[in-house]
Each structure stands twice: as structure tokens, then as C-alpha cells.
């Protein structure tokens, strides 16, 4: 498959073709997403929770995202690779945001960056886009704002929030974003935004009316057992499968049935004789 570009995503929206996107965090998941012809792969700061074990995305650093983006980019040759700008790498000033976005491309191998916020980050989005780094927006529930929001509850159910989310979406499009993630937004609002924008919307917990969908890899594979978000669908239940494999391995090492000759290597007996004097 040829490398997916940002303009192809706009064309997909125009054709009414849905856009699948998943997160990936390393070489192996980068290869697998490529093999499954997933057009967009996100190296999300969700890695802070599902890979690094933090209780939010706040502690994730730019170096964390660069390191994991490099792993994904080594394995994935066809998807559009989006890397998250972590908390406080773009909020302080646009020039710093631009420098950090550039690092995700130059050092990480990403093709585009994603950042959270709407009207409040529009001038930053413009600054980055003006330097030819494509930006994906992210509005609705923005996990980096967990301490301000006090949790991860659906946003946009009251008029004030719904108006702000719509304003955010329009501001991102006007600032030059090429797509926008809508996280935990009521389906009718997500549908209205999708109709209003020319750029694609990518939903997570935002209903079927979005132009695309994104899922966190560990949620969809049943790997992350701390909790399963309501908006996630498990396409596999790998956690219990992996645990059972560990249990069986451990028991076979203990009872001596692993390894056998099949998993071992032979050598010439005469070489052993040459070791007898040591
Ligand atoms: O970090 C992430 O995985 C994300 C998705 C939930 C969109 O931002």
C-alpha cells in the first residue's frame, strides 16, 4: 500500500468513505497496523496509561512520544503516522509548540502531530501548519485537561458546552487543521460538526456519524484490564490468552517439560571432551 497522505483523508470524507484509525506504540504494533491496511496510526499519549502505567496522560514527555513514534515508524511503512504533543509541550507559546512538533517529525518519524484544544490553541495550530506540519485537532473530552474537568465524562450535553465544542471545531478548521478527533461527545452533536466541517472528524465515543473512528489498541484487544471504556469494542480478548500462556510456560519450566530437544541445540561430543581439563 502506498503511503497515506492527509489530502487522501479529505478525499475519503468527500467520497463518504469511513476512516479507520488506531493507536500503536511500538515496532510490532506498527507492523500489524500496516499489514491490516489501517490508514491512520496514532502514537497517542494514552501510552502513558496503557504502556507506562500512569493514571493519566499528564506525566508523558516529548521524549516518550519521540521514542515510541520511532518504534512505530520503523515497523509501519504505509499508514499516516500521527504523534501526540504531550501536556505542556505546546501550551506555553506557539514558537515552542512549533519546535516540539518539528521534533516529532525529525526525531520520531511522524508525518503529522495532534494536540488538544480548540479556540484556545487555534493560533498555535496556525503557526505549526504555516510551517508545513499538518495538525490534527482533538476536542470534546481532552484527557490532558482531566484535572480541570475532574474526570472523563461526556462533554457537550448542555447548550454552553455544545456551543463551545462547535466553536472549537470551526476554529480548528479555520486555523488549518486537517482533521479533528471528537472524544466523548454526544452522537447528534458529533454528526452536526461532521456535516459543518470540510475536514474529517474522527470519533471516539462520538457515535457513527463521524467520518472516521479511533480506538486505543489495548482496549480493542482486551489487553488493558484496569477498566474497559463503554465506547470501546473488544475485537479480541488477548489479556486472558496471554495470562494463560504465561501460566502454562511457568508450569512447564517448573515440571521440566520445557525445553525439550526440539527447543535446544546439539554439539559434537568431542568438543565436550576437550573441556574436561578445565
Ligand atoms: O492518546 C490517545 O490515544 C488519543 C486517542 C484517545 C484519540 O488521543
Amino acid at each position: 500500500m502506498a503511503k497515506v497522505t492527509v489530502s487522501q483523508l479529505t478525499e475519503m470524507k468527500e467520497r463518504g468513505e469511513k476512516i479507520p484509525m488506531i493507536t500503536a506504540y511500538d515496532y510490532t504494533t506498527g507492523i500489524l497496523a500496516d499489514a491490516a491496511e489501517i490508514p491512520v496510526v496514532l502514537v497517542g499519549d494514552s501510552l502513558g496509561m496503557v504502556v507506562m502505567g500512569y493514571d493519566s496522560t499528564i506525566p508523558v514527555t516529548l521524549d516518550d512520544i519521540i521514542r515510541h513514534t520511532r518504534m512505530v515508524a520503523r515497523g509501519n511503512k504505509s499508514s499516516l503516522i500521527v504523534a501526540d504533543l504531550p501536556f505542556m509541550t505546546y501550551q506555553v507559546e506557539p514558537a515552542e509548540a512549533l519546535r516540539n512538533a518539528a521534533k516529532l517529525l525529525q526525531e520520531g518519524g511522524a508525518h503529522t502531530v495532534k494536540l488538544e484544544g480548540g479556540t484556545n490553541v487555534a493560533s498555535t495550530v496556525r503557526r505549526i501548519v504555516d510551517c508545513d506540519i499538518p495538525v490534527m485537532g482533538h476536542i470534546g473530552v481532552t484527557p490532558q485537561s482531566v484535572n480541570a474537568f475532574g474526570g472523563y465524562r461526556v462533554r457537550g450535553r448542555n447548550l454552553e458546552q455544545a456551543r463551545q465544542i462547535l466553536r472549537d471545531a470551526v476554529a480548528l478548521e479555520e486555523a488549518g487543521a486537517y482533521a479533528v478527533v471528537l472524544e466523548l461527545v454526544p452522537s447528534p452533536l458529533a454528526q452536526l460538526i461532521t456535516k459543518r466541517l470540510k475536514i474529517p472528524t474522527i470519533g471516539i465515543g462520538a457515535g457513527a456519524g463521524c467520518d472516521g473512528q479511533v480506538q486505543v489498541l489495548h482496549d480493542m484487544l482486551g489487553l488493558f484490564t484496569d477498566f474497559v471504556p463503554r465506547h470501546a469494542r473488544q475485537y479480541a480478548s488477548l489479556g486472558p490468552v496471554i495470562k494463560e500462556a504465561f501460566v502454562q510456560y511457568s508450569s512447564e519450566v517448573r515440571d521440566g517439560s520445557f525445553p525439550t530437544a526440539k527447543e535446544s541445540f546439539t554439539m559434537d561430543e568431542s568438543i565436550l571432551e576437550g573441556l574436561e581439563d578445565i
Side-chain angles (χ1 to χ4, degrees):
M1 194 169 83
K3 171 81 58 204
V4 174
T5 62
V6 292
S7 47
Q8 279 170 358
L9 301 188
T10 319
E11 288 160 18
M12 286 172 84
K13 174 171 179 134
E14 286 163 3
R15 288 197 297 269
E17 204 180 307
K18 296 282 187 184
I19 303 167
M21 165 167 153
I22 58 169
T23 64
Y25 308 108
D26 60 17
Y27 177 69
T28 306
T29 49
I31 289 181
L32 291 170
D34 198 348
E37 300 192 0
I38 303 281
V40 192
V41 166
L42 169 67
V43 186
D45 59 1
S46 53
L47 72 84
M49 297 168 88
V50 298
V51 176
M52 303 174 86
Y54 297 132
D55 63 1
S56 78
T57 58
I58 303 289
V60 176
T61 66
L62 191 69
D63 283 343
D64 291 332
I65 298 287
I66 290 172
R67 190 179 318 113
H68 284 270
T69 305
R70 226 184 280 133
M71 296 176 200
V72 171
R74 258 182 236 129
N76 188 306
K77 302 298 164 211
S78 318
S79 311
L80 183 76
I81 299 175
V82 187
D84 258 344
L85 276 163
F87 182 61
M88 279 305 134
T89 62
Y90 59 93
Q91 288 94 338
V92 178
E93 52 177 75
E96 189 181 20
L98 174 58
R99 230 173 274 122
N100 289 333
K103 280 189 185 173
L104 292 178
L105 271 61
Q106 287 185 307
E107 297 175 30
H111 308 119
T112 88
V113 301
K114 176 167 80 60
L115 54 78
E116 296 181 8
T119 51
N120 58 332
V121 293
S123 56
T124 298
V125 170
R126 170 54 62 199
R127 182 83 181 95
I128 300 173
V129 171
D130 278 349
C131 288
D132 295 333
I133 299 176
V135 176
M136 178 180 280
H138 183 159
I139 56 176
V141 169
T142 45
Q144 292 173 17
S145 312
V146 61
N147 293 311
F149 291 167
Y152 302 102
R153 275 180 302 279
V154 173
R155 290 185 71 78
R157 280 200 173 120
N158 65 48
L159 184 60
E160 191 192 344
Q161 284 182 9
R163 285 178 66 82
Q164 185 56 47
I165 291 170
L166 178 56
R167 271 195 218 104
D168 287 338
V170 171
L172 287 168
E173 177 166 272
E174 286 174 354
Y178 72 89
V180 60
V181 168
L182 304 178
E183 179 163 357
L184 292 175
V185 169
S187 311
L189 177 60
Q191 198 168 0
L192 184 148
I193 293 170
T194 302
K195 282 204 182 110
R196 184 72 67 85
L197 299 187
K198 290 195 176 65
I199 59 172
T201 58
I202 311 287
I204 175 162
C210 297
D211 297 305
Q213 297 292 327
V214 57
Q215 286 281 289
V216 171
L217 186 89
H218 288 56
D219 293 339
M220 62 178 295
L221 295 183
L223 275 171
F224 189 61
T225 48
D226 287 6
F227 75 101
V228 181
R230 176 166 153 211
H231 58 73
R233 182 176 294 176
Q234 282 193 353
Y235 288 85
S237 187
L238 297 190
V241 172
I242 292 171
K243 187 192 149 203
E244 185 44 40
F246 288 172
V247 166
Q248 197 178 336
Y249 163 72
S250 169
S251 135
E252 290 182 0
V253 169
R254 285 175 212 275
D255 70 16
S257 59
F258 177 84
T260 61
K262 189 168 157 261
E263 292 107 1
S264 308
F265 304 90
T266 56
M267 66 187 283
D268 196 328
E269 289 288 326
S270 65
I271 305 285
L272 286 181
E273 283 160 22
L275 301 175
E276 273 165 12
D277 58 329
I278 301 175

